[in-house]
Amino acid sequence: MEKNRSGRLFCILGAFCFAAVIVLWLFSRISRSGTAHQVVLMGDSVVGNELYNVVFDEMLARKLDMEVFNAAFGGTGVVSSNPEGYESYGAEALCFAPLVDAIILRDFSVQDAAIERNSTLEYFPQRLSDLEETDFQQVDILLICFGVNDYANQISPDLFEQTLDESIGRLMEAFPNLSLYISSPTYIGLTRDDEVIPCDSGEWGEYLLEEYVLCQERVAEKYGIPFIDNYHDSIINEETIYDYTIPSDCLHLNEAGREVLSDNIARVILENMY
């Protein structure tokens, strides 16, 4: 009789332990759940905005034959031009450095608050929501495409390089299986008083766009990650810029320009995969 009771007790305890294991497993799956992506693209409006019905991530996805999630936000850079005002203007909180913090900590409360309180580009809320659902443990490639707005805002190249360096270091530590690529801006112009100012003229400000490109190259070399030099190794230059950008600003690429940029990026990624 006593033996039967002991046997039933062991069965009950065994069933309880098995149920507990199942519950813990399910909780683990739920807590780690998130969207898996082959490629995540982070950057500014050059790659983030839809222009003339040309969606850059779709173009790149076709050339790579991979899924590409576009997490780029127009008006952003590596460094926030107003770091004390993350919550005062949406784009400040969506720059690379604060987004890296949010991705690693899985805490986008600052970004959510900034978008909720301010008018932003209409694609921002959904894009941020999709980024929040992204599990970077399941991302294969992160493509980093900044520099234009850091140059436009005349952020110190030293600060730009330091911030990019620290952000990439943190990403590599948090996601050791993630393959990173840095993609530089192409040759561009910026418009002031209806006049296009070439990025190598020295008329925009103290710093030239090329200085930021060289910073990117040094950071890529430091971490041993591929660098895509669209500034020096591209057919987009001071002589051809009007053929590859929209006429109103000489900054945002038209369809032909996006073909050139996506070709460069796809070539380097595919070369490093095989």
Side-chain angles (χ1 to χ4, degrees):
M1 189 72 171
E2 189 67 31
K3 184 180 291 186
N4 289 338
R5 287 179 181 173
S6 298
R8 284 197 298 272
L9 180 60
F10 279 120
C11 287
I12 292 171
L13 288 173
F16 177 79
C17 290
F18 179 75
V21 169
I22 294 296
V23 169
L24 289 172
W25 179 79
L26 287 172
F27 178 79
S28 174
R29 288 295 297 267
I30 292 170
S31 64
R32 295 181 182 179
S33 64
T35 307
H37 296 296
Q38 289 179 292
V39 180
V40 172
L41 165 65
M42 296 180 70
D44 51 40
S45 62
V46 174
V47 294
N49 294 3
E50 179 178 339
L51 299 170
Y52 301 122
N53 296 318
V54 179
V55 183
F56 185 79
D57 46 294
E58 293 180 0
M59 180 181 288
L60 182 60
R62 288 194 299 271
K63 294 176 180 181
L64 291 173
D65 193 23
M66 300 174 71
E67 179 217 356
V68 178
F69 165 54
N70 196 330
F73 296 91
T76 62
V78 167
V79 183
S80 297
S81 57
N82 178 21
E84 302 302 321
Y86 284 170
E87 298 185 10
S88 66
Y89 173 49
E92 294 295 345
L94 297 168
C95 286
F96 185 58
L99 269 185
V100 166
D101 291 339
I103 288 167
I104 293 173
L105 298 174
R106 296 299 294 267
D107 179 4
F108 292 83
S109 55
V110 170
Q111 286 74 21
D112 290 332
I115 283 183
E116 184 176 344
R117 285 201 298 270
N118 296 276
S119 60
T120 55
L121 295 179
E122 63 181 32
Y123 69 83
F124 276 23
Q126 186 59 55
R127 188 162 291 182
L128 178 61
S129 176
D130 292 341
L131 180 60
E132 291 178 15
E133 294 298 318
T134 298
D135 181 358
F136 272 76
Q137 299 288 0
Q138 300 184 67
V139 173
D140 297 318
I141 294 172
L142 175 60
L143 178 62
I144 303 164
C145 307
F146 289 98
V148 166
N149 289 306
D150 297 280
Y151 160 66
N153 293 323
Q154 289 289 284
I155 299 295
S156 160
D158 289 341
L159 178 59
F160 173 82
E161 183 170 348
Q162 177 186 349
T163 306
L164 180 63
D165 184 324
E166 292 174 352
S167 297
I168 286 181
R170 295 191 66 208
L171 281 169
M172 295 184 72
E173 182 178 359
F175 309 107
N177 296 321
L178 181 63
S179 295
L180 281 77
Y181 290 76
I182 298 177
S183 177
S184 84
T186 63
Y187 186 96
I188 63 164
L190 293 177
T191 304
R192 179 193 289 150
D193 299 328
D194 297 324
E195 178 186 0
V196 174
I197 300 175
C199 60
D200 61 353
S201 68
E203 297 176 19
W204 183 259
E206 179 181 358
Y207 308 115
L208 303 178
L209 178 60
E210 185 178 25
E211 295 178 66
Y212 301 85
V213 174
L214 296 176
C215 289
Q216 292 173 315
E217 184 175 25
R218 285 193 293 270
V219 172
E221 183 177 0
K222 173 181 176 178
Y223 288 103
I225 60 180
F227 174 61
I228 306 167
D229 190 345
N230 302 295
Y231 186 87
H232 298 102
D233 302 334
S234 172
I235 59 175
I236 303 175
N237 52 48
E238 60 180 330
E239 296 178 356
T240 63
I241 188 171
Y242 291 98
D243 297 326
Y244 295 104
T245 58
I246 61 175
S248 60
D249 65 12
C250 287
L251 163 63
H252 294 98
L253 302 172
N254 60 20
E255 183 172 1
R258 288 189 163 198
E259 289 284 0
V260 170
L261 181 61
S262 58
D263 277 346
N264 286 351
I265 291 172
R267 174 181 53 79
V268 174
I269 291 178
L270 292 173
E271 284 175 354
N272 281 273
M273 289 181 62
Y274 305 106

